[in-house]
Amino acid sequence: MTELMTKPRLRWACRRGMLELDVLLAPFVEQGYDALTQQQKQDFERLLACDDPDLFAWFMGHAKSSDPVLQALVQLILDRVRV
């Protein structure tokens, strides 16, 4: 089992170069992250490692991730964080 990031590190990793991503990712860490399974938490860290343009396209609905696990996580975040 890999060691997960601490909450402060997650908060820092959610600070992106795009406001649109910041307003989705940061609230999710505060409101929804703790309810995730261990696997989903690992997948969330994988999602945070993706490039901002890809994340932007996925969250704005312009494209879908080729990884179904990441795409499901994008949808979960969109469902949890309403802006």
Side-chain angles (χ1 to χ4, degrees):
M1 180 161 156
T2 60
E3 189 168 326
L4 297 171
M5 283 188 208
T6 62
K7 268 293 194 66
R9 288 198 62 188
L10 281 171
R11 285 184 197 106
W12 182 257
C14 287
R15 294 177 51 140
R16 310 306 284 213
M18 297 180 178
L19 178 62
E20 295 87 349
L21 296 178
D22 291 350
V23 299
L24 289 168
L25 296 173
F28 180 76
V29 167
E30 299 304 325
Q31 302 165 7
Y33 179 80
D34 291 334
L36 298 178
T37 66
Q38 283 296 109
Q39 184 59 54
Q40 287 173 316
K41 288 176 180 178
Q42 290 175 356
D43 295 335
F44 183 70
E45 289 188 16
R46 246 182 355 109
L47 183 73
L48 292 179
C50 295
D51 293 331
D52 284 357
D54 292 332
L55 291 173
F56 180 81
W58 300 340
F59 280 108
M60 297 302 122
H62 302 302
K64 291 190 177 201
S65 172
S66 59
D67 183 329
V69 172
L70 293 183
Q71 186 58 43
L73 195 51
V74 166
Q75 191 57 54
L76 178 97
I77 293 167
L78 288 171
D79 291 345
R80 290 288 312 250
V81 179
R82 294 290 177 198
V83 288

